[in-house]
């Protein structure tokens, strides 16, 4: 069927549904005039350009670089503080008699995480109201204000702590906005890789901070910490100015009635004309998602994250996975690494931090490959077992040898080696894969809120670990590592018993697996049913407690997904997030994307 007639049919259907909806008194997008208008805008572009799509455009590359700076800011802030706590000038000014008490160092380190928690939870509704671009600029300015508060003090430790809290608001806001803007704007064939750049830039930021701290820690006076802190202005400035030249997210534009602008942005991202088939396809997807989200009675309520189909289970799983990511103990090294290795007796613990930061950064690259090619479950369980083993050795050697004063040099070397092995395992598995898994676990209508809750769990545990680490190590020394080892061990079982394999599946299939109670340990072999059931294609009763399939609800064909015409047959490509661009099974022409 020619595309134009598909659109005509779609419009006709919408009108019928509109009348049916009005008669039954249902509030669905079918009786919303603006949706009809939006369909019309799509239909207008029926004169389709069939040229090939390039896999990557310069515009997308520049967008990835500018927006991922959100991760760099996060990582840079994480990395610099551990070095500051070891700098003489910083200790003399802000410590007590040249040293930090546990409360003081815990407060300075941990307040950033509290700010990030608030920024992350608060950012989604603000970004929905005012747009992604303006919010990204605002959070960067908030971060800059936080740095100004810190850098302008000469003696007050609490000013540093408050400054870190303010900077944390910016980091937290960007931790939601960065992946959101990237996934909403990127062409689908590179979307997964682009979102993963967020974690890559976090690790790059940590590494950069270690290098800069290393370069300045021997300088006399406040330049030791003021130079690295001042360099922290550069990244938000580049991001805020850079984003100014980027376009608003097409998803946000579409939802806010800037339909033509959304179309133009998508066309630019793909590097094609606005009447291109891929642009039409994206516009249809956006429309379908928008319809799906508003189907079954308007906007979902926040509590449906717990009452919707299998949602309590999934929300709890998302929160647990993010908590476990932190409870692996990675930040024990990233926040306190310099201090830990100074205790081991290393002459220059800054060098060790650089080595660990480099391993973290370097091993995240293979991590991006692992996430796509080995399956989430296998990678996460292997990673957790590996980290369990590393912390068992680290804790045992630390407690039974180093702490008792036995073979200090050998003990220190073994501990550094196992810390490095731990970080390599973390960077390849739990670092990036948890973010990927959280993005796949929830259906569209609940994704933003559930991702927000899960990320909040990451930040809470980030704070608890950063704050309590000095107290816990003071009380139980390196036996602290056994706690992290136990959490990694538990993580193996959590993944085995609760997490379905999502690798290679469409988001809708993943949703179906959870709704159908597929056993996670059998999920990699699961075959999807002919008729797919997904939360987005269901009409939910208030509170999401009861499900009516569209036909059970007497709304056959009323759902947005069903009335969107299928992709033009000869141009389909899998909606994959990695590097595997196979043509779709149903008679699809190969190679419609130029490599
Ligand atoms: O790479 C290590 C960094 O990654 C995170 O776990 C975020 O995914 C941070 O909490 C940590 O500092």
């Amino acid at each position: 069927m020619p595309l134009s007639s598909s659109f005509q049919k779609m419009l006709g259907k919408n009108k019928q549904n509109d009348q049916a909806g009005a008669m039954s008194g249902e509030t669905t997008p079918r009786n919303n005039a603006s949706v009809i208008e939006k369909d019309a805008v799509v239909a207008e572009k029926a004169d389709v350009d069939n040229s090939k799509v390039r896999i990557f455009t310069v515009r997308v590359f520049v967008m990835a670089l500018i927006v991922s700076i959100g991760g760099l800011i996060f990582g840079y802030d994480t990395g610099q503080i551990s070095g500051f706590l070891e700098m003489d000038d910083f200790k003399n000014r802000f410590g007590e008699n040249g040293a930090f008490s546990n409360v003081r160092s815990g407060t300075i380190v941990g307040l950033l995480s509290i700010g990030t928690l608030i920024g992350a939870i608060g950012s989604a509704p603000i970004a929905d109201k005012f747009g992604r671009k303006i919010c990204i600029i605002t959070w960067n300015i908030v971060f800059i204000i936080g740095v100004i508060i810190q850098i302008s003090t000469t003696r007050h430790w609490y000013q540093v702590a408050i400054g870190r809290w303010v900077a944390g608001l910016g980091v937290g806001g960007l931790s939601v906005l960065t992946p959101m803007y990237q996934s909403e704007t990127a062409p689908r064939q590179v979307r997964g890789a682009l979102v993963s750049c967020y974690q890559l830039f976090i690790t790059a930021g940590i590494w950069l901070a270690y290098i800069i701290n290393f370069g300045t820690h021997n300088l006399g006076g406040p330049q030791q910490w003021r130079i690295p802190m001042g360099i922290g202005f550069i990244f938000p400035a580049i991001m805020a100015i850079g984003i100014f030249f980027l376009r608003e997210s097409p998803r946000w534009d579409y939802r806010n009635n800037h339909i033509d602008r959304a179309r133009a942005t998508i066309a630019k991202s793909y590097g094609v004309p606005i009447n291109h088939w891929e642009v039409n396809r994206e516009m249809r997807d956006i429309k379908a998602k928008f319809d799906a989200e508003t189907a079954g009675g308007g906007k979902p309520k926040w509590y449906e994250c717990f009452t919707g189909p299998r949602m309590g289970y999934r929300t709890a799983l998302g929160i647990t996975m993010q908590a476990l990511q932190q409870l692996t103990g990675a930040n024990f090294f990233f926040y306190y690494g310099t201090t830990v290795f100074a205790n081991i007796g290393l002459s220059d613990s800054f060098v060790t931090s650089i080595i660990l930061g480099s391993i973290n950064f370097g091993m995240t690259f293979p991590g991006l490959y692992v996430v796509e090619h080995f399956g989430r479950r296998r990678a996460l369980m292997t990673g957790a077992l590996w980290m369990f083993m590393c912390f068992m050795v680290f804790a045992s050697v630390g407690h039974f040898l180093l702490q008792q004063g036995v073979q200090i040099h050998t003990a220190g070397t073994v501990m550094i080696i196992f810390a490095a092995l731990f970080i390599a395992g973390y960077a390849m598995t739990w670092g990036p894969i948890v973010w990927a898994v959280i993005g796949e676990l929830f259906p569209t209508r609940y994704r933003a809120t559930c991702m927000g809750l899960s990320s909040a769990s990451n930040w809470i545990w980030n704070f608890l670990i950063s704050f309590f680490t000095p107290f816990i190590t003071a009380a139980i020394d390196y036996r602290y590592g056994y706690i992290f080892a136990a959490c990694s061990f538990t993580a193996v079982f959590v993944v085995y018993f609760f997490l379905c394999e999502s690798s290679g599946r469409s988001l809708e299939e993943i949703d179906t697996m959870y709704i159908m109670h597929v056993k996670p340990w059998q999920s990699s072999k699961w075959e999807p049913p002919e008729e797919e059931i997904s939360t987005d294609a269901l009409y939910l009763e208030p509170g999401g407690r009861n499900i009516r399939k569209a036909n059970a609800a007497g709304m056959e064909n009323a759902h947005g997904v069903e009335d969107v015409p299928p992709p033009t047959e000869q141009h389909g490509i899998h909606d994959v997030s990695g590097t595997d661009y196979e043509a779709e099974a149903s008679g699809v022409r190969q190679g419609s994307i130029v490599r």
Side-chain angles (χ1 to χ4, degrees):
M1 179 189 302
L3 197 64
S4 52
S5 66
S6 297
F7 281 126
Q8 294 301 337
K9 202 166 162 228
M10 176 175 84
L11 287 175
K13 219 183 249 178
N14 282 346
K15 280 187 189 133
Q16 284 160 20
N17 291 331
D18 184 33
Q19 285 156 8
M23 277 159 64
S24 67
E26 291 259 5
T27 344
T28 74
R30 304 297 113 216
N31 49 24
N32 175 344
S34 76
V35 172
I36 305 269
E37 259 170 47
K38 287 174 185 182
D39 290 347
V41 175
V42 177
E44 266 174 30
K45 316 289 178 188
D47 175 20
V48 182
D49 178 313
N50 282 328
S51 57
K52 289 180 177 180
V53 177
R54 269 170 297 148
I55 208 158
F56 216 56
T57 61
V58 174
R59 174 177 287 271
V60 167
F61 184 70
V62 171
M63 187 273 273
L65 280 186
I66 292 174
V67 182
S68 296
I69 294 175
L72 198 75
I73 293 170
F74 170 7
Y76 189 75
D77 231 85
T78 303
Q80 68 176 0
I81 194 64
S82 86
F84 288 180
L85 294 178
E86 290 301 311
M87 290 177 178
D88 295 337
D89 189 77
F90 197 80
K91 285 196 278 195
N92 290 336
R93 281 168 196 275
F94 306 118
E96 292 138 293
N97 304 320
F100 278 103
S101 69
N102 291 339
V103 174
R104 194 167 286 190
S105 64
T107 309
I108 291 177
V109 173
L111 266 178
L112 181 107
S113 313
I114 293 287
T116 51
L117 173 67
I118 298 169
I121 290 178
S123 68
I126 305 174
D128 279 344
K129 195 165 171 53
F130 298 105
R132 306 337 189 196
K133 264 181 74 169
I134 200 78
C135 272
I136 290 179
I137 294 171
T138 310
W139 286 123
N140 274 297
I141 293 171
V142 170
F143 178 81
I144 288 173
I145 294 171
V147 179
I148 292 174
I149 296 172
Q150 293 174 69
I151 210 166
S152 58
T153 184
T154 45
R155 294 269 158 217
H156 307 302
W157 73 271
Y158 50 85
Q159 192 170 331
V160 177
I162 292 169
R164 278 181 61 79
W165 179 77
V166 176
L169 293 173
V171 173
L174 290 175
S175 78
V176 175
L177 261 295
T178 296
M180 196 194 292
Y181 182 89
Q182 283 173 328
S183 59
E184 287 182 346
T185 311
R188 65 201 168 86
Q189 71 271 17
V190 289
R191 189 184 301 133
L194 276 191
V195 178
S196 303
C197 281
Y198 179 59
Q199 176 72 15
L200 188 68
F201 272 59
I202 293 175
T203 60
I206 296 175
W207 179 79
L208 200 62
Y210 286 163
I211 298 274
I212 293 171
N213 277 351
F214 176 70
T216 64
H217 79 288
N218 282 329
L219 301 176
Q223 302 96 294
Q224 278 181 354
W225 53 274
R226 277 217 172 112
I227 291 175
M229 205 183 259
I231 289 174
F233 283 120
I234 298 173
F235 313 122
I238 297 176
M239 190 175 180
I241 295 169
I243 197 94
F244 194 74
F245 294 101
L246 298 181
R247 299 174 68 90
E248 181 52 87
S249 144
R251 266 75 187 173
W252 188 87
D253 266 350
Y254 186 90
R255 280 151 200 259
N256 290 274
N257 265 318
H258 303 294
I259 317 292
D260 279 343
R261 205 166 71 182
R263 176 176 279 278
T265 305
I266 293 168
K268 280 183 189 295
S269 294
Y270 278 92
V272 296
I274 57 165
N275 61 338
H276 194 271
W277 62 269
E278 187 62 79
V279 180
N280 284 341
R281 182 178 169 128
E282 282 267 326
M283 289 297 279
R284 276 197 304 276
D285 284 356
I286 295 175
K287 178 192 178 300
K289 286 250 156 73
F290 180 74
D291 288 356
E293 278 180 23
T294 44
K299 282 193 165 186
K301 305 277 184 304
W302 67 268
Y303 55 82
E304 289 181 27
C305 289
F306 301 98
T307 60
R310 239 31 228 310
M311 286 310 298
Y313 176 100
R314 283 188 268 182
T315 305
L317 182 58
I319 288 172
T320 307
M321 290 297 291
Q322 284 284 22
L324 284 171
Q325 198 232 34
Q326 290 298 307
L327 284 165
T328 56
N331 277 324
F332 169 71
F333 294 113
F334 295 120
Y335 287 133
Y336 292 100
T338 316
T339 313
V340 169
F341 293 112
N343 291 341
I344 286 175
L346 279 173
S347 51
D348 197 337
S349 51
F350 285 84
V351 175
T352 324
S353 290
I354 291 176
I355 295 169
L356 297 186
S358 305
I359 295 168
N360 188 34
F361 180 37
M363 296 311 280
T364 305
F365 286 97
L368 302 183
Y369 180 82
V370 166
V371 64
E372 295 293 355
H373 292 88
F374 289 97
R376 318 313 190 223
R377 280 170 55 84
R378 217 162 9 133
L380 286 170
M381 287 191 290
T382 312
L385 272 178
W386 178 260
M387 292 186 290
F388 160 75
M389 184 273 292
C390 292
F391 251 124
M392 287 301 287
V393 175
F394 183 89
S396 303
V397 173
H399 179 67
F400 293 108
L401 295 182
L402 192 80
Q403 202 66 21
Q404 319 292 333
V406 185
Q407 295 180 341
I408 292 182
H409 183 73
T410 315
T413 312
V414 172
M415 287 171 78
I416 290 168
I417 289 172
F418 276 85
L421 291 174
F422 169 90
I423 289 171
Y426 176 83
M428 284 176 69
T429 59
W430 281 74
I433 297 180
V434 168
W435 293 105
V437 159
I438 296 307
E440 300 164 337
L441 189 56
F442 309 107
T444 308
R445 66 194 266 127
Y446 305 121
R447 189 169 297 129
T449 316
C450 291
M451 281 185 77
L453 287 173
S454 308
S455 306
S457 153
N458 185 292
W459 290 118
I460 288 170
W461 284 101
N462 190 326
F463 167 73
L464 291 176
I465 290 168
S466 62
F467 186 83
F468 287 109
T469 287
F471 300 99
I472 299 174
T473 45
I476 60 171
D477 66 74
Y478 292 104
R479 280 171 293 179
Y480 189 25
Y482 291 132
I483 298 178
F484 295 131
C487 291
S488 287
F489 198 64
T490 310
V492 179
F493 295 95
V494 171
V495 173
Y496 184 80
F497 286 110
F498 299 105
L499 185 78
C500 286
E501 181 55 67
S502 47
S503 173
R505 305 248 183 231
S506 73
L507 293 177
E508 289 67 33
E509 280 175 5
I510 299 165
D511 188 28
T512 308
M513 279 199 283
Y514 282 102
I515 293 176
M516 290 182 67
H517 291 253
V518 170
K519 292 194 172 55
W521 52 94
Q522 294 171 350
S523 56
S524 23
K525 301 214 164 62
W526 176 76
E527 294 287 340
E530 294 233 321
E531 187 202 6
E532 196 147 285
I533 307 164
S534 90
T535 306
D536 284 338
L538 298 171
Y539 285 79
L540 300 176
E541 291 180 350
R545 286 186 187 84
N546 293 310
I547 305 166
R548 287 180 293 158
K549 281 298 301 295
N551 52 7
M555 300 282 286
E556 294 92 337
N557 302 328
H559 195 269
V561 174
E562 285 158 22
D563 63 18
V564 168
T568 45
E569 268 180 33
Q570 71 272 37
H571 296 299
I573 51 170
H574 269 310
D575 189 4
V576 291
S577 51
T579 48
D580 222 4
Y581 305 103
E582 294 164 34
E584 267 177 0
S586 54
V588 175
R589 190 178 53 160
Q590 293 268 355
S592 48
I593 290 204
V594 179
R595 289 176 199 247

